[in-house]
Amino acid sequence: MTDPVLSVQGLSVETRDGVRLVDDLSFDLAPGEILGLVGESGSGKTVACRALMRLLPEPALRIADGRVALMGQDLVTLSEARMRGIRGRQLGMIFQNPTAHLDPVMRIGDQIAEAVRLHEGASRTDARARAVEALRQVGIPDPEARAGSYAHEFSGGMRQRAMIAIALACNPKVLIADEPTTALDVTVQAQILRLLMDLRDRQGVSIILITHDLGVVAQTCDSIAVLYAGRLCERGPKRGVLGAPAHRYTAGLIRCQPTSAGGEGMLDTIEGQPPAVSAMPKGCRFHPRCGAVIAVCNTHQPEQTARGPGHIAACHNPVADAAMTVSV
Amino acid sequence: MTAIAARPLYLRRFPGRTTLVVGLTVVGLMLLAALAAPLIAPYDPVFQDGTARLVAPSAAHPFGTDNFGRDVFSRVIWAARVDLQIAFLGVVFPLVIGTTIGTVAGYFGGVVDAVFMRIVDVVLAFPYLVLIIAIIAILGPGLKSFYIALALVGWVSYARLIRSQILILKSADFVLAARSLGYSHSRIMFRHLLPNALISSIVFAMSDMVLVLLGGASISFLGLGVQPPTAEWGIMVAEGQGFITQALWMTMFPGLAILLLSFGFSLIADGLGEWLGVKE
């Protein structure tokens, strides 16, 4: 196995009051891998990724513990100035709402060229050519003319393409995509996911895809990490996790998917709400909502145990093997 | 969309267009007159014709002559150079200083913000003209002192205005996106936030030009700004006041020139504000 391009070990993020929003998160990302980071709203997906970029809103939130190694270099202890050289150049990020994340008064081409000029010291003409090329790469028609457009002249899907072009302009090793398709309609959503997979194939970029849509994960990702209330429930290859989920929460999420509910009946739901960050339950954080609680769930956090090759889960009473089958 | 984009701006309709066009025409004509002063003005603005003192407006002297026998029309035209320069420079320095300070204060917040905004409060606590006169009195009369005084006093309005815009914009998502690209604070402030925040300051600068123009004329009227015999509208009004009953034209024409230029700047400010949706 090749060395991971990004290795996260025991990452924890705390609020000023010492509440842990992300607790002991670990995962590896191989070159060219697409990892789906799945969880409900508030499960800490976005906070975890902001922590990877060192873009937490300090001092309200801070990295309390852990190691984030990008090609062997620890990012947590890096100075802010060095970290600025990593962002954009090695670690790119795209966001849910491309309209709000593009500068409204700067031409799209200039926004791409700015990143290239800053990080690679390219000349004005070279950067402009690179910007046009980047727009072509993300499938924007007539990129020479479109480079001179402003964000408001683009459609939603094209804005997302433009944002991807900006983030990938300097060929980062890792792209963090924070719900990149949530704000787009279904047909455009498929195009953008297709584009991300193409870029992975062509440029070998590794992608962390944050989503709450297991359908998106099933289509796009190589592996999955499921977060609940800031803790990792289950992590492993897509087929293992979706085909034979071990954690009760993962199994519940899969049952809640409209496509796997099968037929006309009522959609399944997981009863209750995720816990408030200030009132985390003792023991397993999922136990108040879990349908298969055993005594130890109330008192002890479950340890992560191996379930298969590269597949781990943190559950006291895991779903028995082959107890449920899901078509992936 | 492309059809609209292809149409040049001057052919498009937008709110405030008429106001803006009239304002730009007025200011443009006065600018033209100022630049072409040697061609337009029939006489040397400081030439004293002892045989033609206090002559009423006529074909030879359209605006009449003053008590030294100088042609008022020529002086009004030449004075446009000085007064336009006052309006422009008197706004540019405060704009640049205030915008920079306001951007930094709004972006970083905290102690930096608190210190600058308290200074702003103190400066605003004094009447504008009194503070300017006081500074000129210390530095000595002249245009240079006037510009310095304006820079020291005028920046506060710009700082306040831009700070309030930056405070709103700095939590915008595109700032986070810019940070995720590894951009430094100064790059984010001046290349991404400022262009987004600047519109209302530009509109304000246009109305500020009126204030500065009147301020400049007032200062010269009081003998603290432009020094005689240079032609400047404020001085001309001051010089004419003693003859207001015999030679109204000495004060009226420079006064009208001040009014017209102020009117032009006001119209530009209103038109821009309406077009760009800036509320004052």
Side-chain angles (χ1 to χ4, degrees):
Chain A
M1 193 181 155
T2 47
D3 284 342
V5 58
L6 183 75
S7 172
V8 177
Q9 299 300 329
L11 181 70
S12 300
V13 178
E14 266 183 15
T15 66
R16 222 183 316 218
D17 310 325
V19 177
R20 292 212 159 181
L21 297 184
V22 174
D23 193 11
D24 197 21
L25 175 67
S26 303
F27 63 83
D28 284 348
L29 192 66
E33 180 181 355
I34 302 184
L35 170 76
L37 198 54
V38 184
E40 284 166 279
S41 306
S43 58
K45 300 169 298 204
T46 299
V47 170
C49 286
R50 294 271 163 87
L52 298 186
M53 296 287 288
R54 291 262 310 271
L55 285 177
L56 291 171
E58 292 180 35
L61 296 181
R62 62 182 193 89
I63 297 175
D65 202 4
R67 219 176 100 84
V68 177
L70 181 73
M71 294 180 299
Q73 184 178 34
D74 189 10
L75 301 184
V76 174
T77 53
L78 220 53
S79 73
E80 175 60 24
R82 297 275 306 281
M83 192 63 214
R84 276 206 292 270
I86 301 279
R87 287 186 208 123
R89 193 178 169 83
Q90 315 260 9
L91 268 179
M93 191 162 186
I94 59 173
F95 302 87
Q96 177 175 347
N97 182 350
T99 311
H101 287 89
L102 291 168
D103 188 334
V105 301
M106 194 188 252
R107 293 172 199 281
I108 297 291
D110 292 343
Q111 294 189 46
I112 303 173
E114 184 183 13
V116 177
R117 290 189 69 193
L118 178 73
H119 285 299
E120 301 186 3
S123 72
R124 200 174 285 269
T125 6
D126 287 353
R128 182 157 292 277
R130 285 272 299 274
V132 171
E133 188 47 38
L135 287 174
R136 193 194 314 281
Q137 293 262 324
V138 297
I140 287 188
D142 195 10
E144 285 89 357
R146 287 324 220 146
S149 298
Y150 291 95
H152 71 267
E153 297 172 313
F154 277 20
S155 68
M158 279 174 60
R159 282 178 206 152
Q160 189 57 277
R161 286 173 191 269
M163 193 156 73
I164 293 172
I166 296 171
L168 291 183
C170 298
N171 298 313
K173 299 284 180 295
V174 177
L175 178 69
I176 299 173
D178 190 352
E179 307 211 23
T181 59
T182 311
L184 305 173
D185 66 45
V186 188
T187 48
V188 180
Q189 180 172 335
Q191 290 169 13
I192 295 292
L193 292 175
R194 187 74 247 160
L195 171 66
L196 287 177
M197 292 169 77
D198 275 357
L199 291 169
R200 186 269 308 265
D201 295 342
R202 270 186 283 150
Q203 304 186 358
V205 60
S206 306
I207 299 175
I208 300 176
L209 184 66
I210 302 180
T211 180
H212 52 246
D213 186 340
L214 284 180
V216 167
V217 172
Q219 284 171 44
T220 352
C221 299
D222 305 308
S223 51
I224 302 183
V226 182
L227 281 181
Y228 183 79
R231 283 189 70 90
L232 189 68
C233 299
E234 187 160 8
R235 165 166 64 82
K238 171 173 71 181
R239 275 172 203 290
V241 175
L242 289 184
H247 199 284
R248 297 282 170 179
Y249 178 61
T250 318
L253 278 184
I254 294 169
R255 264 202 313 278
C256 294
Q257 286 296 306
T259 45
S260 62
E264 314 269 307
M266 287 282 282
L267 274 175
D268 267 317
T269 55
I270 300 176
E271 290 295 321
Q273 297 288 325
V277 288
S278 52
M280 285 296 176
K282 249 178 85 73
C284 172
R285 289 181 173 181
F286 184 59
H287 87 260
R289 301 173 72 190
C290 184
V293 182
I294 55 175
V296 67
C297 296
N298 299 311
T299 51
H300 290 85
Q301 294 245 20
E303 293 294 318
Q304 294 180 346
T305 49
R307 302 291 304 172
H311 184 176
I312 59 157
C315 186
H316 289 304
N317 184 16
V319 180
D321 291 331
M324 61 181 288
T325 47
V326 173
S327 56
V328 176
Chain B
M1 179 199 69
T2 40
I4 297 169
R7 215 159 157 198
L9 185 62
Y10 60 87
L11 287 178
R12 266 186 268 166
R13 286 170 176 278
F14 51 82
R17 182 171 184 259
T18 317
T19 322
L20 187 59
V21 168
V22 173
L24 283 173
T25 309
V26 169
V27 173
L29 285 177
M30 298 203 79
L31 193 64
L32 211 63
L35 290 175
L39 304 175
I40 298 172
Y43 302 91
D44 184 324
V46 292
F47 171 70
Q48 306 184 359
D49 181 356
T51 61
R53 290 185 183 157
L54 298 174
V55 174
S58 63
H61 300 284
F63 290 178
T65 61
D66 66 8
N67 55 320
F68 294 110
R70 296 176 297 196
D71 181 52
V72 174
F73 179 68
S74 303
R75 284 178 68 73
V76 166
I77 298 289
W78 277 96
R81 291 189 160 195
V82 180
D83 283 278
L84 279 167
Q85 187 205 330
I86 289 175
F88 182 73
L89 290 183
V91 163
V92 163
F93 294 129
L95 175 73
V96 171
I97 296 170
T99 302
T100 310
I101 291 178
T103 305
V104 172
Y107 184 79
F108 287 110
V111 181
V112 186
D113 188 34
V115 169
F116 279 121
M117 287 307 118
R118 289 305 78 74
I119 298 176
V120 168
D121 287 343
V122 169
V123 174
L124 283 175
F126 291 94
Y128 180 72
L129 216 49
V130 170
L131 206 51
I132 287 186
I133 291 170
I135 295 172
I136 296 176
I138 295 167
L139 296 174
L143 262 192
K144 209 167 111 189
S145 307
F146 178 62
Y147 292 140
I148 294 173
L150 270 181
L152 287 175
V153 175
W155 66 270
V156 296
S157 317
Y158 292 95
R160 250 200 182 175
L161 188 65
I162 206 86
R163 171 182 173 270
S164 66
Q165 297 285 318
I166 297 285
L167 281 181
I168 299 167
L169 282 168
K170 74 171 177 181
S171 53
D173 289 330
F174 70 83
V175 175
L176 180 68
R179 292 195 63 202
S180 81
L181 287 168
Y183 295 168
S184 63
H185 289 306
S186 62
R187 177 178 290 265
I188 291 173
M189 274 189 283
F190 294 109
R191 288 213 48 182
H192 293 276
L193 281 173
L194 196 54
N196 277 284
L198 207 54
I199 290 168
S200 54
S201 295
I202 299 291
V203 173
F204 178 73
M206 284 298 145
S207 31
D208 194 31
M209 281 192 179
V210 179
L211 200 67
V212 168
L213 180 66
L214 293 178
S218 312
I219 295 298
S220 300
F221 178 91
L222 294 173
L224 294 170
V226 181
Q227 298 302 310
T230 312
E232 194 277 335
W233 298 330
I235 295 182
M236 293 172 71
V237 172
E239 287 169 345
Q241 65 170 334
F243 304 90
I244 200 151
T245 49
Q246 309 135 266
L248 181 63
W249 54 88
M250 273 184 71
T251 44
M252 188 176 77
F253 289 107
L256 281 177
I258 295 173
L259 185 71
L260 192 64
L261 188 58
S262 307
F263 182 62
F265 284 134
S266 295
L267 288 180
I268 293 178
D270 283 358
L272 271 182
E274 208 175 324
W275 175 29
L276 302 168
V278 178
K279 290 172 201 77
E280 281 192 55

